Amino acid sequence: MSTESRRVAVTKAFGRARRLGLEIDADPAFHALIECWVTGELTMPQARERYLAVLKEREQSRRDRGLSNRPDPAVPEEEAKPSTGEVGAGDEPSLQRVRKRRRTRKPE
């Protein structure tokens, strides 16, 4: 698949998602992974694996800061307290790791 056809596929997929009212992650790390796929630096399974790692890291970071809106299964419901903090604008360390991976990727 050429770079141009991948870029068209991304544009169509994002457009279709927006028309359906689905949110597209605004995190720069997500968009960096999509761009890596478009340019052929990553396969889609690799991009998916890395994105899932970003999501897992993001959720762990929120839990560590007490900002998760998901209940922790290890905490009984009556002990869970609602979060009053704010979620940060972005996860810069994740983006830096994505960029580092892009620079250090070995040719296939």
Side-chain angles (χ1 to χ4, degrees), residues 1-96:
M1 188 177 251
S2 72
T3 301
E4 294 80 21
S5 61
R6 287 178 187 220
R7 194 163 309 280
V8 167
V10 168
T11 302
K12 287 173 78 174
F14 282 10
R16 186 171 44 249
R18 285 185 186 106
R19 281 191 307 277
L20 293 172
L22 302 173
E23 288 185 37
I24 297 172
D25 196 331
D27 188 338
F30 170 72
H31 290 277
L33 289 169
I34 294 299
E35 186 61 28
C36 286
W37 176 77
V38 167
T39 61
E41 295 176 49
L42 293 174
T43 64
M44 188 49 74
Q46 290 169 326
R48 180 182 184 275
E49 180 181 317
R50 290 186 186 181
Y51 180 60
L52 291 175
V54 166
L55 291 177
K56 184 176 180 181
E57 183 180 299
R58 184 189 300 167
E59 183 63 25
Q60 185 60 49
S61 176
R62 286 180 180 156
R63 281 193 183 130
D64 291 347
R65 293 179 292 164
L67 299 175
S68 178
N69 58 1
R70 294 183 188 169
D72 185 343
V75 177
E77 191 172 323
E78 61 274 1
E79 292 180 25
K81 297 179 182 174
S83 171
T84 59
E86 292 183 16
V87 177
D91 191 359
E92 191 63 28
S94 294
L95 178 58
Q96 294 303 319

